[in-house]
Amino acid sequence: MDENTTLWRALDVERETAIALVVAPLLLALIHFAARPSVFSRMALGQGLSDQEGALAGLLWWAGWSVIAYFAVPAALIKVRRGRLADYGLRLPQWRPYLFVYPLMYVVVLLPMFAVARDDAFLRTYPLYKHAAERPELWALFHVGYAAQFFALEFFFRGYLLFAIRRSFGEAAVLVSALPYCMIHFSKPVPEALGSLVAGIMLGALALRTGSIVGGVAVHYAVALTMDLLALATKAGRL
């Protein structure tokens, strides 16, 4: 009886890992093909809007799909299995001695950001909302969706994917989850794409240690907001 129970538990672990590793690329494909702002601009909903409004709507379309794919679907899968979201990083950090690493990561990233602030590739990419200088109120609205997207992103990579495969891969789950995270940055400037692998590993390791994605969400959004502000300052001639 005990052997059968152990066997079924092992199968449950393997099943969850298999589901996560199949669902993850499907959701990433959904984000890549359906969530792009260009998809929205070709739809009837995107017609008749001004350039500023259309750009904002397209980015909010992307953010909305990100919340669905990165958070709503994985959360539903966890609930179907009668799991708790708290066991997948959606709780306050449990191991507080590690919390100093998050602000330290931000400071370490801040110096390279200043170094690339005048780089053409960086300025072509940021701010993501291209009309931020003319319409700061729309840029602020975009950042509400942007922050929600980062919450969902962290939940997916450092919450659902990481903790779903942890029992099968052990500590190596950090490396497994960092690979697709790095790959979604291939369209970004080279330093950011390469740095995403390091960040993915560090944030994954911290999520395992603290049992929480909260610190990752905070530092991730802080970096993104800073990049937008640096780009705006550079284009305005203030840097």
Side-chain angles (χ1 to χ4, degrees):
M1 189 68 174
D2 290 339
E3 290 181 359
N4 290 334
T5 302
T6 302
L7 174 61
W8 280 113
R9 285 178 179 172
L11 290 174
D12 284 344
V13 172
E14 291 175 2
R15 189 182 299 123
E16 183 178 27
T17 298
I19 290 172
L21 293 179
V22 170
V23 166
L26 293 177
L27 292 177
L28 291 175
L30 176 66
I31 290 290
H32 180 75
F33 292 107
R36 286 177 293 180
S38 59
V39 173
F40 177 83
S41 66
R42 294 194 295 268
M43 298 173 61
L45 290 172
Q47 306 303 313
L49 298 175
S50 67
D51 289 343
Q52 293 93 337
E53 293 168 345
L56 173 63
L59 288 169
L60 292 179
W61 168 269
W62 162 70
W65 273 109
S66 296
V67 171
I68 292 171
Y70 287 146
F71 177 73
V73 173
L77 290 173
I78 292 169
K79 286 302 183 181
V80 165
R81 293 180 57 83
R82 300 181 183 274
R84 300 188 313 156
L85 297 183
D87 294 332
Y88 294 80
L90 206 59
R91 63 181 178 182
L92 293 176
Q94 301 298 302
W95 207 343
R96 302 190 189 283
Y98 282 93
L99 297 186
F100 80 94
V101 180
Y102 290 109
L104 180 61
M105 287 180 66
Y106 176 76
V107 172
V108 169
V109 172
L110 192 60
L111 296 177
M113 281 196 291
F114 273 101
V116 301
R118 296 180 180 275
D119 185 78
D120 288 341
F122 179 84
L123 294 176
R124 284 195 302 269
T125 305
Y126 298 101
L128 287 186
Y129 178 60
K130 302 306 179 187
H131 304 280
E134 311 108 73
R135 300 293 300 272
E137 74 281 6
L138 296 186
W139 175 75
L141 182 57
F142 157 66
H143 265 266
V144 174
Y146 203 19
Q149 181 271 156
F150 278 118
F151 163 76
L153 182 77
E154 285 297 318
F155 178 77
F156 181 75
F157 286 104
R158 259 72 68 177
Y160 171 68
L161 182 57
L162 179 63
F163 287 97
I165 67 176
R166 179 189 184 186
R167 285 174 290 182
S168 295
F169 287 89
E171 298 290 315
V174 172
L175 302 178
V176 176
S177 65
L179 291 177
Y181 177 68
C182 176
M183 293 172 71
I184 67 171
H185 289 80
F186 283 173
S187 62
K188 298 294 183 70
V190 174
E192 184 178 351
L194 295 177
S196 68
L197 179 60
V198 178
I201 293 172
M202 292 188 66
L203 289 173
L206 285 168
L208 281 187
R209 295 294 180 272
T210 64
S212 173
I213 65 167
V214 172
V217 174
V219 72
H220 209 158
Y221 177 66
V223 168
L225 176 61
T226 303
M227 288 195 293
D228 262 17
L229 292 173
L230 282 175
L232 286 170
T234 301
K235 291 177 179 180
R238 295 174 184 169
L239 279 181

